[in-house]
Amino acid sequence: MCGRFAVTLPNDAMAQLFQAAPANNLPEVPNFNVCPTTGVHVVYSDTEMRRLGAMRWGFLPHWYKAPNDGPLLINARAETIADKPAFRAACRTRRCLIPTDGFYEWSKDVEGDRLPWWITRRDGAPLVMAGVWQDWQGPEDADPLRTCAIVTTAASADIAEVHHRMPVILGPDQWAKWLGEEGHGAATLMQAAPEETLQLHRVSRAVNSNRASGPELIEPFED
C-alpha cells in the first residue's frame, strides 16, 4: 500500500517533465509528508492535452453522500481494480499519474512498534505512481470535487521485507499508455517495478505523525 509520500519538484519543473498544462491551484512544494485527504499533484489527459492539477487523495465513489460516507479509499488494488464497483469505470477511462520523490512504508519490530522507511528510485528520478481519479459531486456543492487513489500491487523483492504491497511505479516510456494516449494495454503495466528499481532506508519515527514536516523526515536514521 501507500499511505504517505513526499513531493519536492517545483510545480513548473513538474509541468515541464510531463509536458502538461499546470492548473492555478497546485499544492505547495516542497511537502515531505503528504497525507491522505489532502490535495496532491496529478497528471491526467483530456481530449485536448495533458494537464497537471490538484486532486484530493482519497477516491470518492459517486454514491457517497459525504466524503466520510464510507471507507477512505486511498489505494486501489491492481488485482481487483477492474471489478470493484468503486474503481472499474475509472480504471477504464480515468487513469492518472501521481508524481513523487518517494514514499514511506512501515514495518514492525519485535515489540510491535511501527518503524518508518523512506523508499525512492535508485536512479534518483522522480517516482511516478499509477492512479485513478473520479469527480465527486456533493449534495450541497456547486462544483465537483476531483479525487484520486493510488494503484498498488504485490511488492518487489527490493522492499518485500518491509511491506507486502507497493504502488505501481511507471517509467517515462509507460506514461502515455497509462494515460490512455496510446490506445489499449494499460492493464499490462499493473505490476511490481523490476528488481533493483528501488532503494530504502530507515527514517525517524517523527513521520508517524501526520503533523510532522521538513526535509529531516527523509534523512537516514538509526535507533
Side-chain angles (χ1 to χ4, degrees):
M1 64 175 294
C2 179
R4 305 270 192 86
F5 58 88
V7 179
T8 66
L9 193 65
N11 290 331
D12 56 349
M14 210 178 302
Q16 183 175 2
L17 174 66
F18 294 99
Q19 298 183 333
N24 295 324
N25 63 339
L26 294 173
E28 292 186 5
V29 287
N31 185 345
F32 291 91
N33 193 5
V34 180
C35 301
T37 75
T38 61
V40 298
H41 296 79
V42 174
V43 177
Y44 62 100
S45 285
D46 60 20
T47 56
E48 298 178 356
M49 65 182 69
R50 283 185 189 175
R51 299 190 184 275
L52 173 64
M55 297 189 189
R56 175 193 188 266
W57 182 19
F59 191 98
L60 296 177
H62 66 84
W63 60 81
Y64 278 25
K65 294 181 173 60
N68 59 354
D69 198 32
L72 179 60
L73 304 177
I74 61 172
N75 295 155
R77 294 175 65 92
E79 299 87 344
T80 59
I81 191 172
D83 300 317
K84 290 289 186 181
F87 299 120
R88 61 190 176 200
C91 179
R92 291 193 298 268
T93 61
R94 294 188 302 277
R95 297 184 299 271
C96 60
L97 307 172
I98 302 175
T100 76
D101 290 61
F103 64 98
Y104 299 97
E105 197 49 84
W106 282 261
S107 61
K108 289 186 178 180
D109 63 17
V110 293
E111 298 177 348
D113 293 329
R114 300 176 74 230
L115 306 177
W117 299 78
W118 172 240
I119 301 168
T120 60
R121 292 185 61 106
R122 288 178 186 266
D123 59 10
L127 190 152
V128 180
M129 302 185 288
V132 291
W133 64 273
Q134 165 88 18
D135 278 343
W136 177 79
Q137 184 69 60
E140 299 179 359
D141 298 326
D143 298 318
L145 177 63
R146 192 150 285 186
T147 70
C148 66
I150 295 167
V151 181
T152 66
T153 189
S156 68
D158 293 343
I159 66 169
E161 291 186 6
V162 171
H163 201 274
H164 67 287
R165 303 290 296 177
M166 66 177 291
V168 171
I169 298 169
L170 302 176
D173 60 330
Q174 299 170 315
W175 296 346
K177 179 172 285 189
W178 183 254
L179 291 175
E181 298 167 350
E182 294 182 349
H184 302 292
T188 63
L189 304 178
M190 291 192 290
Q191 54 188 310
E195 193 170 345
E196 298 189 358
T197 298
L198 303 177
Q199 62 185 4
L200 74 170
H201 62 251
R202 269 289 315 281
V203 293
S204 167
R205 299 185 198 206
V207 76
N208 290 357
S209 169
N210 59 13
R211 297 182 179 180
S213 63
E216 64 274 11
L217 295 180
I218 65 173
E219 293 178 0
F221 177 84
E222 294 184 8
D223 287 324

